[in-house]
Amino acid sequence: MNAHNTPPSRDEILAVNAGSSSLKFGLYHCAKAGSEQHAHLSGCFDGLEPGGKPRLRLSDRADEALQVGPGQNAFEQALRRLQALLRDSAPSLRAVAHRVVHGGGVFEGPVRVDATVMAQLRRFEKLAPLHQPHNLDGVQAFAQVWPELPQIACFDTAFHAQLPALEQRFALPEIPALEGVRRYGFHGLSYDYLNQRLHERSTRAQLPGTRALLAHLGNGASLCATLSGQSVATSMGFSALDGLMMGTRSGSVDPGLLLHLLQQGWSAEQIETLLYRQSGLRGVSGISADMRTLRASDASQAQEAIRLFAYRLRREAGALIAVLGGLDILAFTGGIGEHDAALRADLCAGLSFMGVSLDTAANARAVGDTLYAIHAPGSQVEVWVVPTDEGSVAAAQAAALLRNGG
């Protein structure tokens, strides 16, 4: 967008999530960002990887192919198409809010990105190699296209910034080599959104001392235990690899296994590839990282992968409920959490000893863009399905930062 063509009333935030092969975006009114609203323009460019088939998917219209000529960069072409979309929608952009996975122990809230901030954030790339490099490349690309606009980083780790000291600590000595080594937690923008929606829709969520287990289940998966809306424990730790089994990530493994692989001659790069890209649903099934594909398969390996995913979920849920000392609310989100009724039923059955009782019909209906309560009338624990909107939270955080002079 040409700065000279920008209308004077700059009242909108563009929230983006740049990945290795995709670019998700949503346009929000500053005054309403963070309230229960949808972006008034949203969509996703995918297939942006080399050799891919780039396309644009908008929420309110048919897909379109993205034309990328020989030697052209697909991400740059996506940005040009996005510029045209925004020009057609005639928005007045005030800032671009970027989802950034890892803020380390340095950033506990949104920050305007300059060269110094960018250099600090690049240091955390090894802690989230599937996300952080692409998030930051996106920040730089948008800054080149819209140099007049603030580029604001909003962090998945920020929601967990005040984790209790014991939750942050590993049983390791305090030596210089381990400076900054602690549990951080991730999926914070999603958990922040769930927190807000539950507080608006559930009377129980508004009560002091409410114990909630939030499950963000997708290609990346984690659990978060909250007390009165505050994160007190989470399944992901130092990196976005810890905890639950995921699409291609292993989740928790015995560190002795890593020592064994090193002794067998594996390099750090080979181990990273194994744990981040070749494990999880894809590694166990040998078929796919997509739960929908595995559900549709009759292969025994696919069923084994589903069973292991569900078992690890129940096992980790039990640990976090123990930390809370009980459970009042269980909430599902993410691609699997929002759409896989069978998995939700499996976890709820495994937690029936806690007084969780599912409304089977409501659970079957809970697919789509609507928040659903799916607990049975007599359930001691409320159960919700909450379609997440991380962009809304990022936009709200960016708008608040600007209002405060950031």
Side-chain angles (χ1 to χ4, degrees):
M1 181 181 296
N2 189 314
H4 299 293
N5 295 330
T6 302
S9 59
R10 312 182 75 188
D11 62 352
E12 300 196 287
I13 301 285
L14 179 67
V16 301
N17 181 0
S20 60
S21 62
S22 65
L23 173 61
K24 299 177 183 178
F25 62 89
L27 192 63
Y28 298 84
H29 293 299
C30 288
K32 295 182 178 180
S35 61
E36 190 170 2
Q37 61 137 358
H38 295 289
H40 60 89
L41 175 69
S42 65
C44 178
F45 294 93
D46 55 22
L48 301 181
E49 71 277 8
K53 297 180 179 179
R55 62 174 183 164
L56 167 62
R57 295 185 285 113
L58 288 169
S59 58
D60 61 349
R61 65 192 82 169
D63 294 6
E64 67 175 72
L66 187 66
Q67 301 303 317
V68 180
Q72 291 183 325
N73 182 287
F75 193 91
E76 292 175 358
Q77 290 298 103
L79 280 182
R80 293 191 183 96
R81 182 68 185 96
L82 181 56
Q83 282 182 286
L85 279 173
L86 298 180
R87 191 179 300 116
D88 291 343
S89 300
S92 299
L93 284 180
R94 192 176 176 196
V96 183
H98 297 262
R99 179 201 179 197
V100 177
V101 167
H102 214 307
V106 180
F107 302 105
E108 297 186 353
V111 63
R112 186 166 178 162
V113 181
D114 57 19
T116 301
V117 170
M118 179 62 75
Q120 290 175 302
L121 294 177
R122 288 289 186 190
R123 292 166 45 207
F124 307 134
E125 288 185 344
K126 279 293 184 182
L127 305 185
L130 298 186
H131 303 92
Q132 190 88 350
H134 309 297
N135 297 159
L136 299 181
D137 288 347
V139 175
Q140 290 186 321
F142 274 84
Q144 291 175 354
V145 172
W146 283 287
E148 76 281 9
L149 293 178
Q151 307 295 321
I152 297 174
C154 303
F155 300 100
D156 266 335
T157 48
F159 184 73
H160 309 287
Q162 304 306 316
L163 282 172
L166 289 180
E167 176 67 17
Q168 294 183 28
R169 184 76 192 262
F170 290 108
L172 297 170
E174 293 184 354
I175 58 177
L178 297 177
E179 184 178 354
V181 174
R182 47 158 281 201
R183 296 178 59 80
Y184 290 100
F186 298 90
H187 290 133
L189 295 176
S190 180
Y191 290 136
D192 196 336
Y193 184 83
L194 264 66
N195 234 9
Q196 294 178 38
R197 297 294 82 80
L198 289 171
H199 193 267
E200 292 167 357
R201 297 291 294 274
S202 166
T203 302
R204 186 177 297 185
Q206 301 169 18
L207 298 175
T210 295
R211 303 160 299 183
L213 181 65
L214 312 180
H216 181 107
L217 307 176
N219 191 50
S222 71
L223 294 172
C224 176
T226 65
L227 185 64
S228 300
Q230 172 69 49
S231 175
V232 295
T234 185
S235 61
M236 282 184 170
F238 178 64
S239 72
L241 184 62
D242 199 10
L244 299 175
M245 174 181 172
M246 306 177 217
T248 64
R249 283 171 268 176
S250 64
S252 297
V253 296
D254 184 338
L257 167 62
L258 310 185
L259 294 174
H260 172 73
L261 292 177
L262 286 171
Q263 292 162 358
Q264 294 297 311
W266 286 53
S267 68
E269 291 75 17
Q270 287 175 312
I271 294 174
E272 179 180 285
T273 298
L274 171 71
L275 299 181
Y276 276 99
R277 296 176 173 85
Q278 297 177 343
S279 298
L281 290 173
R282 176 180 292 167
V284 175
S285 71
I287 297 171
S288 176
D290 192 318
M291 182 67 84
R292 295 167 297 185
T293 301
L294 300 182
R295 289 284 186 197
S297 174
D298 293 328
S300 60
Q301 303 97 311
Q303 302 311 308
E304 176 74 1
I306 294 170
R307 286 194 298 270
L308 183 57
F309 187 97
Y311 173 76
R312 293 289 295 271
L313 175 61
R314 185 167 68 253
R315 189 176 188 272
E316 194 73 34
L320 294 190
I321 292 169
V323 170
L324 288 172
L327 189 62
D328 301 304
I329 295 175
L330 171 63
F332 294 90
T333 196
I336 297 173
E338 295 170 27
H339 296 96
D340 196 320
L343 185 73
R344 295 194 299 260
D346 185 279
L347 179 59
C348 289
L351 298 179
S352 60
F353 71 97
M354 290 296 308
V356 178
S357 180
L358 197 64
D359 182 325
T360 304
N363 184 45
R365 290 194 301 268
V367 177
D369 297 327
T370 302
L371 183 148
Y372 286 90
I374 61 172
H375 47 275
S379 179
Q380 297 176 35
V381 176
E382 292 185 358
V383 186
W384 296 81
V385 179
V386 186
T388 195
D389 188 351
E390 295 159 314
S392 176
V393 175
Q397 291 183 0
L401 181 70
L402 294 175
R403 283 196 299 270
N404 294 328

